[in-house]
mmCIF file of all heavy atoms in Angstrom:
data_model
loop_
_atom_site.group_PDB
_atom_site.id
_atom_site.type_symbol
_atom_site.label_atom_id
_atom_site.label_comp_id
_atom_site.label_asym_id
_atom_site.label_seq_id
_atom_site.Cartn_x
_atom_site.Cartn_y
_atom_site.Cartn_z
ATOM 1 N N ILE C 976 -26.137 55.484 -46.410
ATOM 2 C CA ILE C 976 -26.199 54.041 -46.676
ATOM 3 C C ILE C 976 -27.680 53.657 -46.532
ATOM 4 O O ILE C 976 -28.282 53.980 -45.505
ATOM 5 C CB ILE C 976 -25.363 53.239 -45.683
ATOM 6 C CG1 ILE C 976 -23.845 53.601 -45.821
ATOM 7 C CG2 ILE C 976 -25.567 51.726 -45.925
ATOM 8 C CD1 ILE C 976 -22.975 52.842 -44.902
ATOM 9 N N LYS C 977 -28.250 53.047 -47.589
ATOM 10 C CA LYS C 977 -29.604 52.547 -47.469
ATOM 11 C C LYS C 977 -29.570 51.021 -47.504
ATOM 12 O O LYS C 977 -28.905 50.461 -48.332
ATOM 13 C CB LYS C 977 -30.487 53.044 -48.659
ATOM 14 C CG LYS C 977 -30.671 54.524 -48.671
ATOM 15 C CD LYS C 977 -31.603 54.868 -49.829
ATOM 16 C CE LYS C 977 -31.689 56.376 -50.007
ATOM 17 N NZ LYS C 977 -32.307 56.652 -51.288
ATOM 18 N N ILE C 978 -30.270 50.404 -46.586
ATOM 19 C CA ILE C 978 -30.262 48.943 -46.545
ATOM 20 C C ILE C 978 -31.710 48.441 -46.711
ATOM 21 O O ILE C 978 -32.532 48.738 -45.838
ATOM 22 C CB ILE C 978 -29.597 48.485 -45.246
ATOM 23 C CG1 ILE C 978 -28.148 48.971 -45.172
ATOM 24 C CG2 ILE C 978 -29.636 46.953 -45.159
ATOM 25 C CD1 ILE C 978 -27.491 48.771 -43.881
ATOM 26 N N GLN C 979 -31.950 47.708 -47.706
ATOM 27 C CA GLN C 979 -33.291 47.142 -47.971
ATOM 28 C C GLN C 979 -33.287 45.691 -47.511
ATOM 29 O O GLN C 979 -33.127 44.781 -48.311
ATOM 30 C CB GLN C 979 -33.670 47.245 -49.460
ATOM 31 C CG GLN C 979 -33.419 48.597 -50.084
ATOM 32 C CD GLN C 979 -34.472 49.634 -49.655
ATOM 33 O OE1 GLN C 979 -35.450 49.335 -48.939
ATOM 34 N NE2 GLN C 979 -34.249 50.861 -50.021
ATOM 35 N N GLY C 980 -33.353 45.465 -46.212
ATOM 36 C CA GLY C 980 -33.317 44.100 -45.747
ATOM 37 C C GLY C 980 -32.754 44.117 -44.315
ATOM 38 O O GLY C 980 -32.511 45.191 -43.747
ATOM 39 N N ASP C 981 -32.503 42.914 -43.769
ATOM 40 C CA ASP C 981 -31.951 42.825 -42.403
ATOM 41 C C ASP C 981 -30.417 42.994 -42.494
ATOM 42 O O ASP C 981 -29.829 42.610 -43.460
ATOM 43 C CB ASP C 981 -32.277 41.449 -41.780
ATOM 44 C CG ASP C 981 -33.789 41.330 -41.558
ATOM 45 O OD1 ASP C 981 -34.495 42.322 -41.684
ATOM 46 O OD2 ASP C 981 -34.209 40.215 -41.210
ATOM 47 N N VAL C 982 -29.892 43.474 -41.432
ATOM 48 C CA VAL C 982 -28.419 43.721 -41.445
ATOM 49 C C VAL C 982 -27.809 43.332 -40.101
ATOM 50 O O VAL C 982 -28.447 43.240 -39.055
ATOM 51 C CB VAL C 982 -28.127 45.169 -41.794
ATOM 52 C CG1 VAL C 982 -28.653 46.123 -40.739
ATOM 53 C CG2 VAL C 982 -26.645 45.425 -42.036
ATOM 54 N N GLY C 983 -26.548 42.955 -40.156
ATOM 55 C CA GLY C 983 -25.822 42.366 -39.016
ATOM 56 C C GLY C 983 -25.302 43.324 -37.986
ATOM 57 O O GLY C 983 -25.705 44.521 -38.013
ATOM 58 N N MET C 984 -24.411 42.862 -37.122
ATOM 59 C CA MET C 984 -23.982 43.605 -35.963
ATOM 60 C C MET C 984 -23.091 44.778 -36.289
ATOM 61 O O MET C 984 -22.513 44.838 -37.366
ATOM 62 C CB MET C 984 -23.184 42.697 -35.038
ATOM 63 C CG MET C 984 -24.009 41.576 -34.426
ATOM 64 S SD MET C 984 -22.975 40.595 -33.419
ATOM 65 C CE MET C 984 -23.952 39.081 -33.371
ATOM 66 N N HIS C 985 -22.943 45.675 -35.324
ATOM 67 C CA HIS C 985 -22.035 46.781 -35.393
ATOM 68 C C HIS C 985 -22.339 47.764 -36.580
ATOM 69 O O HIS C 985 -21.413 48.313 -37.148
ATOM 70 C CB HIS C 985 -20.584 46.360 -35.473
ATOM 71 C CG HIS C 985 -20.163 45.426 -34.400
ATOM 72 N ND1 HIS C 985 -20.005 45.803 -33.089
ATOM 73 C CD2 HIS C 985 -19.920 44.085 -34.419
ATOM 74 C CE1 HIS C 985 -19.683 44.759 -32.385
ATOM 75 N NE2 HIS C 985 -19.616 43.711 -33.151
ATOM 76 N N LEU C 986 -23.605 47.898 -36.917
ATOM 77 C CA LEU C 986 -23.937 48.827 -37.998
ATOM 78 C C LEU C 986 -23.664 50.249 -37.529
ATOM 79 O O LEU C 986 -24.075 50.664 -36.421
ATOM 80 C CB LEU C 986 -25.441 48.700 -38.329
ATOM 81 C CG LEU C 986 -25.950 49.683 -39.382
ATOM 82 C CD1 LEU C 986 -25.493 49.337 -40.771
ATOM 83 C CD2 LEU C 986 -27.458 49.760 -39.304
ATOM 84 N N GLY C 987 -22.871 50.979 -38.308
ATOM 85 C CA GLY C 987 -22.586 52.361 -37.961
ATOM 86 C C GLY C 987 -21.851 52.533 -36.684
ATOM 87 O O GLY C 987 -21.990 53.573 -36.000
ATOM 88 N N GLU C 988 -21.000 51.560 -36.338
ATOM 89 C CA GLU C 988 -20.249 51.674 -35.095
ATOM 90 C C GLU C 988 -19.296 52.895 -35.203
ATOM 91 O O GLU C 988 -18.643 53.097 -36.232
ATOM 92 C CB GLU C 988 -19.467 50.366 -34.887
ATOM 93 C CG GLU C 988 -18.783 50.268 -33.568
ATOM 94 C CD GLU C 988 -18.236 48.863 -33.349
ATOM 95 O OE1 GLU C 988 -19.008 48.055 -32.844
ATOM 96 O OE2 GLU C 988 -17.083 48.589 -33.677
ATOM 97 N N GLU C 989 -19.149 53.611 -34.167
ATOM 98 C CA GLU C 989 -18.315 54.818 -34.070
ATOM 99 C C GLU C 989 -18.557 55.793 -35.243
ATOM 100 O O GLU C 989 -17.685 56.481 -35.713
ATOM 101 C CB GLU C 989 -16.848 54.417 -34.089
ATOM 102 C CG GLU C 989 -16.403 53.725 -32.835
ATOM 103 C CD GLU C 989 -14.918 53.401 -32.848
ATOM 104 O OE1 GLU C 989 -14.151 54.284 -32.571
ATOM 105 O OE2 GLU C 989 -14.608 52.273 -33.087
ATOM 106 N N MET C 990 -19.802 55.820 -35.680
ATOM 107 C CA MET C 990 -20.179 56.699 -36.811
ATOM 108 C C MET C 990 -20.063 58.166 -36.346
ATOM 109 O O MET C 990 -20.336 58.521 -35.205
ATOM 110 C CB MET C 990 -21.648 56.409 -37.098
ATOM 111 C CG MET C 990 -22.303 57.143 -38.141
ATOM 112 S SD MET C 990 -23.900 56.323 -38.419
ATOM 113 C CE MET C 990 -24.605 57.451 -39.641
ATOM 114 N N GLU C 991 -19.615 58.990 -37.326
ATOM 115 C CA GLU C 991 -19.459 60.441 -36.915
ATOM 116 C C GLU C 991 -20.404 61.358 -37.685
ATOM 117 O O GLU C 991 -20.622 62.504 -37.285
ATOM 118 C CB GLU C 991 -17.985 60.881 -37.179
ATOM 119 C CG GLU C 991 -17.045 60.252 -36.209
ATOM 120 C CD GLU C 991 -15.606 60.521 -36.522
ATOM 121 O OE1 GLU C 991 -15.312 61.597 -37.131
ATOM 122 O OE2 GLU C 991 -14.737 59.710 -36.211
ATOM 123 N N GLY C 992 -20.901 60.887 -38.817
ATOM 124 C CA GLY C 992 -21.797 61.743 -39.578
ATOM 125 C C GLY C 992 -22.451 60.945 -40.698
ATOM 126 O O GLY C 992 -22.177 59.780 -40.876
#
Side-chain angles (χ1 to χ4, degrees):
Chain C
I976 298 179
K977 292 183 189 168
I978 299 170
Q979 311 286 354
D981 294 350
V982 64
M984 295 179 201
H985 307 288
L986 175 75
E988 188 169 272
E989 293 182 77
M990 180 172 176
E991 290 175 28

